[in-house]
Structures are given as C-alpha cells and as structure tokens.
Amino acid sequence: MTQTEEMLSELALAAAAAEGRLAAADSLEAVTAAEREVLGRRSVMAEAKKSLGGLDPDRRRDAGRAVNQVRERLEAAAGRARARLAEAARAARYESERLDLTERLNPIRRGRLHLVTQARDRLEDVFVGMGFTVVEGPEVETAWYNFEALNIPEWHPARGEFDTIFVNLGQPEEVMLRSHTSPVQIRTMEARRPPIYVVAPGRTFRADTADATHLPAFSQIEGLVVDRGITMGDLAGTIDEFVKAFFGGEVKSRLRPSYFPFTEPSAEFDISRPDGSWLELGGCGMVHPQVLSNCGIDPEEWQGFAFGFGIDRLAVMRYGLDDIRELVNNDVRFLRQF
Ligand code: FA5
C-alpha cells in the first residue's frame, strides 16, 4: 500500500467512526466535537490534505477527489444530526407547552330551567303566537291595585277569600304580597289605551297551607284583552286555542259559571285529568264595566275579557305529576328528569 492509500484508508476509517458518532450525537456540542475531530485543523482530514501536496498531479486529483467526497459526506452527516436535534428540541418544546384540554371533552353536567319556568316560557310562547304581548307587575302591591280597583272594596267578602299575606308597611292591611296577578290588569289599563292584548305571568302569594294542589307561593298568568266588540265567545275561543297549543289534543277543558267581583259574567275554567276528573285551572270572565271605568276606559265603547290561570297547576298537568309540592321539594333527582 502506498502512503497515499494508507492515508486514504485511515481517513475512511476515521470518517466512518465520526459518522457513527454523528448519527448517535444527543447534543449540538457532541456534533461539533465529532466534526472537529475529523474535519478540524489537526484532524486526519487536515493531515490527508497536507499529504496531497507531495503527489504527482494525476494522483493528486484522484486522491483530492476522494478526500473531498469524505468531507462532503461528513458535512452532510453533521447537517442531518443538527436537523434531527433541532426537530427533537422543537417537539420537546411543543410537548411542554401543550395544553391538556381533554377535560372539556368529558360530559359537563348542565343545569336546567325549573319546571315552572319551562311552563311559563311555553305559555308566553303560545300567547305571543296568538298576538299577545308579555307585561309584568310588582310582587308587592297596595290595596288599590290588589283589591279596590278590581271592584273589591274593603267590606267585600271576596277579600277574605284570598288569605292575603300583608306587609308591615303604611296603614294596616294597606301593603301586601299580591294574592293574584289581576292587579297587572289595572296597571296595564292605566298605562295603555285600548286595544290591549297582554299576558302577565308572575309569582303570587297566599297564606294557603300546602297540599297536593296548593302552595303558599305559586305563579299565575293573567290575560287581558280590551277592544271593540269583544264577547264571551272570544274568551272561550282563546282558552280553547290555548289548551290545544299547550297540551295538544288529549286534554279537554270546560267553563263553569262562577263569581269574581272584577268580571261579569264570570266563569271557572277546568281541564280534564287522565283519570277523567277535572282540575280547576283558573278564573275568567268579561271585564266588569266598573273596572274599565276605574282605569279611565269608557265601558260603552270598549269591552274586554280577562283570565288568570295557575302556572304550577299547568306544570303539574303537563308533566303528569301527582302532587304540586314536588315542584318545591328541590330534589335534584326529580328536577333532573325534566
Ligand atoms: C284568581 O286569582 C283570579 N284573579 C282569577 C281571575 C283573573 C278571574 C281574571 C277572572 C279574571 P283564583 O283565586 O281562583 O282566582 O285563582 C286562580 C288560579 O290560581 C286557581 O284556579 C289555581 O289554578 C291557582 N291557584 C290559586 N291558589 C293557588 C295555590 N295556593 N297554589 C297553587 N295554585 C293556586
């Protein structure tokens, strides 16, 4: 073997070893060190280059080409090692910066609207669909709105029937938790001129003992229509339409003659239970001329009808409950079903 061949084979061995180290290098420092060892100033490569000077031109060209090929291979191997390390560093950074969002994929236990709220929303939808607007009134009322303007003077026996809860304000029995939503009729007629088509849902209060069909705090929805030429037929038709929209075809309804001081004639409105019995849902009738006059509306020109239904009882019927108290027991196992 000539000296040049010896030198080239030594270079090839050193290059192979360096390539192995580059492929396994786990840091940029290791890459640089391996590179310097074969390509650096005091390396086998440098020695090889030096020795090329002593060769005749032909052999120098071949040997030079061989040396250059080794250098290129090593440079390429070093480049690959650097790219591999850069990629690994980037992957490690992504991993460390990654946000774990898997928890969001677990089912979230969501709350839901209470049955009475659902029934109230549904009622509003049904009446808005029939052309009514929704209004509200205060839960604490004066005797004027809760009774007097509704044609229930102080001496009237109907006052006693409401089992009113009074608030300790002003004159005795002057301020109270409203015992029905009918005061909103008065507030509406004071504030608007006919034609009027409104419903007023809201909470109402009575000193009633809770039983299967009564709660001391419950909700009603009041309806009031004032227009020209309104008759009892319009009232019956509206109730009929509402029952169909709210319950579907199965539930039957009936009107029964009754008495309220603020309507004349008056009726009570029942719906059929699955067992064939009737549940009283509310009162209704033609707005009493005195009530129209109390609000500055001329009863000769305008007529109206009004109704007041119990929303909790509607919910009981719609969701097939057998006791109205289920609505306020706050048992989540019950509430979650709806
Ligand atoms: C009234 O409250 C009248 N304001 C209804 C009315 C309005 C008549 C407009 C004419 C014109 P009544 O006291 O009957 O009427 O109550 C109406 C409905 O409220 C009852 O039919 C029932 O569905 C509901 N309700 C009354 N008391 C309770 C209670 N303690 N718990 C649950 N619902 C009740």
Side-chain angles (χ1 to χ4, degrees):
M1 223 197 291
T2 64
Q3 211 188 340
T4 315
E5 283 167 349
E6 214 173 293
M7 177 271 292
L8 284 176
S9 87
E10 201 186 317
L11 181 61
L13 275 177
E19 266 185 290
R21 284 225 301 288
L22 285 170
D26 58 3
S27 69
L28 288 174
E29 290 75 31
V31 173
T32 309
E35 222 178 7
R36 189 175 300 136
E37 215 175 297
V38 269
L39 300 175
R41 276 205 287 152
R42 256 187 283 273
S43 62
V44 204
M45 175 70 74
E47 291 301 316
K49 276 190 195 157
K50 256 186 246 158
S51 71
L52 293 180
L55 298 176
D56 60 60
D58 271 358
R59 299 191 56 197
R60 186 170 5 159
R61 198 177 51 237
D62 290 347
R65 196 174 291 143
V67 169
N68 270 343
Q69 274 169 5
V70 172
R71 186 170 49 73
E72 276 163 19
R73 243 180 45 219
L74 283 169
E75 278 171 359
R80 281 197 301 276
R82 284 205 174 83
R84 173 173 55 75
L85 288 168
E87 176 55 36
R90 191 163 45 235
R93 200 177 73 236
Y94 285 171
E95 185 61 30
S96 75
E97 289 176 359
R98 198 172 78 155
L99 290 178
D100 184 0
L101 302 176
T102 46
E103 233 175 302
R104 303 286 302 162
L105 297 175
N106 297 334
I108 299 167
R109 203 181 273 167
R110 300 182 59 176
R112 62 195 68 213
L113 295 174
H114 190 272
L115 276 188
V116 172
T117 311
Q118 291 184 35
R120 178 183 157 157
D121 286 352
R122 176 106 185 93
L123 282 166
E124 288 183 12
D125 289 351
V126 167
F127 282 110
V128 166
M130 290 165 76
F132 287 72
T133 38
V134 180
V135 294
E136 281 185 86
E139 291 178 356
V140 178
E141 275 293 9
T142 59
W144 167 258
Y145 287 105
N146 199 70
F147 292 130
E148 262 135 62
L150 287 162
N151 213 21
I152 316 174
E154 216 177 320
W155 49 263
H156 201 291
R159 279 221 187 180
E161 281 169 27
F162 278 110
D163 290 322
T164 310
I165 299 170
F166 292 97
V167 174
N168 199 3
L169 264 180
Q171 297 295 313
E173 305 203 347
E174 182 55 35
V175 184
M176 61 211 70
L177 299 182
R178 65 177 175 191
S179 47
H180 51 173
T181 43
S182 297
V184 191
Q185 286 186 36
I186 306 301
R187 291 184 176 275
T188 306
M189 287 190 279
E190 278 178 354
R192 302 184 183 197
R193 295 293 91 193
I196 293 171
Y197 290 80
V198 295
V199 285
R203 296 206 300 166
T204 47
F205 308 86
R206 290 181 201 179
D208 282 346
T209 306
D211 62 24
T213 53
H214 293 84
L215 292 172
F218 56 102
S219 294
Q220 287 187 340
I221 183 162
E222 194 81 8
L224 173 69
V225 166
V226 184
D227 207 338
R228 290 194 173 88
I230 296 291
T231 69
M232 199 76 182
D234 297 309
L235 169 61
T238 305
I239 290 178
D240 224 44
E241 208 41 51
F242 147 77
V243 173
K244 272 201 216 103
F246 191 78
F247 291 108
E250 290 106 70
V251 173
K252 283 191 293 222
S253 64
R254 70 173 184 194
L255 286 176
R256 219 166 5 95
S258 185
Y259 172 77
F260 295 99
F262 36 95
T263 44
E264 180 59 37
S266 302
E268 249 159 345
F269 162 67
D270 304 330
I271 53 176
S272 63
R273 288 195 177 101
D275 67 2
S277 66
W278 296 94
L279 175 69
E280 178 205 302
L281 209 61
C284 57
M286 300 304 290
V287 180
H288 197 290
Q290 184 60 52
V291 174
L292 294 172
S293 300
N294 288 346
C295 301
I297 293 173
D298 180 1
E300 297 294 325
E301 188 181 351
W302 304 97
Q303 299 75 46
F305 69 75
F307 56 80
F309 305 154
I311 298 182
D312 312 74
R313 289 196 189 171
L314 279 164
V316 163
M317 283 298 294
R318 190 172 153 89
Y319 299 104
L321 315 180
D322 22 80
D323 194 315
I324 202 169
R325 287 168 292 191
E326 295 277 20
L327 295 172
V328 289
N329 285 342
N330 283 342
D331 182 339
V332 283
R333 289 166 306 180
F334 166 77
L335 293 171
R336 234 184 243 146
Q337 298 172 57
F338 302 96

